[in-house]
Amino acid sequence: MSTYGGGYQPPPPYRGPISSELPVGCGCLVIVIALCLGWFVFIPVLFVAVAFFGVLSLYRYVMELASVMGLGKTPAPAPIPPPPDKAADGVEPAFTHYLFGPALIDLRHSVRVALPAPIQVAREYEAKIRATFHYREPSWLMVPVSIGLRCCMGVGVIIGLVAVALLWLLQLAVVATLVLGLIAAALALRGADSAMRKVKGIRTSCPSCHLRVSYPSYECAALGCGRRHRDVRPGRYGVLKRRCACGSLLPTLVLTGSGDGRMQAHCPHCKEPMSRGSGAVPEIVIPVLGATATGKTRLMTALVMGLLEGTGGHGAEAEFADTQSETAYRDLAGKLRAGMHTWKTVKAKDAPLRAYSLHISPPTGGDRLFHVFDAPGELVAKSESMRELRYIRSARTFLFTLDLLSVDVVWESLESGVRAKHRKLRSDDAPDSFFAHVVQNIEAHGIQMRRARLAVALTKDDLVRGCGALAGVGEDSDDIRRWLEDGAGLDGMVRAMRRSFAEVRFFRTSSWLDGGEVDDGVLDLTGWLLVSEGLRVHHST
């Protein structure tokens, strides 16, 4: 109660401070709305923006990679050097297999061109963001949006870079796996090819330089090409096929036809052409050994004539394996038919001794290459010259010519007029001493003949057939052997032959044609040579 007039008045009720803000509870609503907008609008927008830049980076990489591979509307492949026109420094005139060369070039090119694609996306869109949002109103809106886009672009490009790097590593792993698989396939095919050649007994020698050839070089068979490939086996230029610089496909294996004769084979040592089928079929090497003027060349010509034109093949078909053999045969066969004498074999200085080479197809069984070497008598007799006759190391059957005119008992049994007529045709070397020199020279070079076979051809039988020294001597090998031991006084030579060789057979032969036909003794000799080398022909041994 107041003591100062008026009476007592109660205080007014408390109403709190006067405020202009929102009603109580509105702040929570704003926060909820902001969270909803962030969760359902801004975060998805940011996610879409990040995904856009990441996918765009990956897409640009794929498009650049396609361009590097030569695909798309604007192909820009890496330049690949063309193959050389001829083999040199280990490089073949063929296109390198994609995985052994161009694939690595494409990978390096993709690192320079395709891998930076995400960085190019970042630079491009940075310029667009700057042009769109900088110095634009309202700044309070444009600046945050530009910053947000840059953040999204940065995250997206980084994700794109990681994805591109992983994709490039995957590409590298795939290429490396394919390369390793291709190398394994090439090695396996090489092994299979070598194993097949070993099973078939294929051992190749050059008919010119006589050196052992592990695998011939081959010449492209395309018309007008002639590029020579030193090693066509599976490798960096192809597994089953290789593409020559001219564009032709070449087989790489005997299995796929490299030795079928369509491509000309060449010796990798002397570069001379080899016989058709070299490296694909087993080879038969027959060295013809004999003194000068024993009739080696005529006998060899008659032997080849019997194989080609007569019944000497005993059911086998024969054809020339190279043009050199055919040219030499045509000249000598003409002289044989004309009844002319042939001159002794002369080897030019530093020139290789070339073989007669025939391709023989027996009635059953596999084909063979048949090489007959006519060595000059003076080369065979000299030890220092024997090194030139390297083909002897590959021989399993030898042919020794024995001139019947050089056998003293035969020569002395002829009438004086006949001796005068045939004196120039007679060999001056005694057969027993010459054979001893031959064996000694061959063994001196480390060549073991104990497992080899020997055919002994008694030549010029037509000139002495009626002489008394040969009376009663038949055509059978045992009859001839007994005559040589007893009647001819060459028992020491026969013993040396049987001691030096695993098997010895004797034949009476004549290289003169009888009515245009090859002598039966030559045909028997040919049949025995083929059978002894494993050919299945119609000949009884």
Side-chain angles (χ1 to χ4, degrees):
M1 173 183 288
S2 173
T3 56
Y4 299 98
Y8 172 76
Q9 294 181 355
Y14 177 76
R15 297 182 180 274
I18 299 175
S19 173
S20 62
E21 293 181 0
L22 294 174
V24 176
C26 289
C28 294
L29 181 62
V30 171
I31 294 173
V32 171
I33 294 174
L35 289 175
C36 290
L37 288 175
W39 183 260
F40 293 104
V41 178
F42 294 120
I43 291 179
V45 168
L46 293 176
F47 178 79
V48 169
V50 170
F52 169 78
F53 286 108
V55 172
L56 181 62
S57 298
L58 190 60
Y59 171 77
R60 290 285 182 85
Y61 170 77
V62 172
M63 296 303 294
E64 292 291 346
L65 184 62
S67 175
V68 168
M69 301 298 292
L71 304 174
K73 297 181 179 180
T74 57
I80 298 175
D85 282 334
K86 60 181 181 179
D89 299 329
V91 181
E92 297 273 24
F95 288 94
T96 305
H97 190 282
Y98 177 75
L99 291 175
F100 286 114
L104 301 179
I105 294 176
D106 286 344
L107 281 173
R108 289 196 298 266
H109 193 48
S110 68
V111 170
R112 294 192 299 268
V113 176
L115 207 58
I119 306 300
Q120 295 171 0
V121 169
R123 290 173 178 172
E124 177 185 344
Y125 277 85
E126 167 63 23
K128 289 182 177 181
I129 291 172
R130 185 181 297 110
T132 303
F133 294 102
H134 276 209
Y135 309 110
R136 299 294 178 91
E137 296 296 336
S139 59
W140 60 268
L141 177 62
M142 295 300 180
V143 172
V145 170
S146 66
I147 292 174
L149 285 176
R150 283 190 174 93
C151 292
C152 292
M153 181 182 67
V155 174
V157 168
I158 291 173
I159 294 174
L161 275 173
V162 173
V164 165
L166 291 175
L167 190 60
W168 187 86
L169 290 176
L170 177 62
Q171 180 185 356
L172 178 62
V174 170
V175 170
T177 302
L178 291 175
V179 168
L180 292 176
L182 201 65
I183 291 174
L187 292 176
L189 287 173
R190 280 197 178 205
D193 190 62
S194 299
M196 188 188 72
R197 296 174 73 234
K198 188 173 183 179
V199 168
K200 286 187 173 182
I202 299 174
R203 301 178 68 185
T204 306
S205 298
C206 175
S208 292
C209 69
H210 318 144
L211 290 174
R212 182 63 55 81
V213 176
S214 59
Y215 214 91
S217 301
Y218 287 100
E219 186 178 296
C220 178
L223 184 64
C225 179
R227 291 178 175 86
R228 193 174 302 176
H229 300 252
R230 290 186 298 190
D231 189 354
V232 300
R233 289 177 294 177
R236 60 179 297 195
Y237 299 99
V239 178
L240 296 177
K241 299 283 185 179
R242 69 159 56 184
R243 187 174 295 278
C244 178
C246 71
S248 301
L249 289 176
L250 309 180
T252 60
L253 295 164
V254 173
L255 291 167
T256 56
S258 63
D260 61 2
R262 288 177 293 177
M263 298 191 301
Q264 174 63 57
H266 289 266
C267 174
H269 305 296
C270 67
K271 314 304 179 186
E272 291 292 321
M274 298 180 68
S275 304
R276 181 176 61 86
S278 293
V281 297
E283 299 187 357
I284 299 172
V285 175
I286 307 293
V288 183
L289 308 175
T292 303
T294 56
K296 296 188 301 297
T297 302
R298 293 184 65 86
L299 175 64
M300 188 173 68
T301 305
L303 188 150
V304 173
M305 183 180 290
L307 285 169
L308 292 169
E309 305 173 17
T311 60
H314 300 274
E317 296 182 0
E319 60 181 351
F320 289 108
D322 52 55
T323 56
Q324 293 87 340
S325 298
E326 184 173 7
T327 302
Y329 169 78
R330 299 299 179 199
D331 178 58
L332 291 172
K335 294 180 179 179
L336 210 63
R337 292 190 180 94
M340 299 171 59
H341 292 290
T342 55
W343 300 105
K344 71 175 185 176
T345 303
V346 178
K347 179 183 178 297
K349 184 179 180 181
D350 298 329
L353 182 68
R354 184 84 188 190
Y356 271 117
S357 297
L358 302 176
H359 192 276
I360 298 180
S361 301
T364 58
D367 294 356
R368 299 287 194 278
L369 270 178
F370 190 77
H371 300 297
V372 186
F373 287 90
D374 177 16
E378 55 271 20
L379 280 183
V380 177
K382 296 179 180 179
S383 177
E384 61 273 13
S385 302
M386 189 64 70
R387 295 186 183 90
E388 300 181 36
L389 310 181
R390 288 182 286 259
Y391 59 86
I392 289 179
R393 295 183 179 274
S394 302
R396 295 185 297 269
T397 304
F398 292 78
L399 175 57
F400 180 75
T401 55
L402 190 156
D403 180 13
L404 282 170
L405 292 176
S406 67
V407 179
D408 291 338
V409 294
V410 174
W411 183 252
E412 292 169 0
S413 68
L414 297 175
E415 296 180 358
S416 59
V418 177
R419 289 200 299 268
K421 180 181 178 181
H422 298 327
R423 189 174 301 277
K424 291 184 179 180
L425 302 179
R426 187 190 186 209
S427 174
D428 295 330
D429 296 289
D432 50 352
S433 61
F434 185 85
F435 179 79
H437 277 104
V438 168
V439 172
Q440 182 179 359
N441 292 340
I442 292 176
E443 290 180 343
H445 287 81
I447 302 173
Q448 299 298 322
M449 300 178 293
R450 195 64 190 89
R451 296 182 180 180
R453 298 168 293 270
L454 176 66
V456 182
L458 280 62
T459 60
K460 306 176 187 177
D461 186 63
D462 55 298
L463 302 180
V464 298
R465 193 163 291 168
C467 74
L470 288 167
V473 180
E475 304 291 333
D476 184 71
S477 176
D478 289 336
D479 288 344
I480 300 171
R481 175 183 57 80
R482 284 191 291 267
W483 175 79
L484 287 172
E485 291 174 335
D486 302 331
L490 296 173
D491 54 320
M493 182 190 71
V494 174
R495 285 197 303 271
M497 290 177 174
R498 299 178 72 178
R499 183 175 59 251
S500 301
F501 291 88
E503 183 181 0
V504 182
R505 294 293 292 267
F506 300 90
F507 302 87
R508 292 179 66 175
T509 65
S510 171
S511 57
W512 290 90
L513 304 182
D514 184 7
E517 298 294 330
V518 178
D519 177 66
D520 289 341
V522 175
L523 298 180
D524 288 340
L525 168 63
T526 306
W528 183 82
L529 290 175
L530 296 179
V531 171
S532 65
E533 288 289 343
L535 275 76
R536 301 174 183 176
V537 296
H538 305 147
H539 180 266
S540 175
T541 57

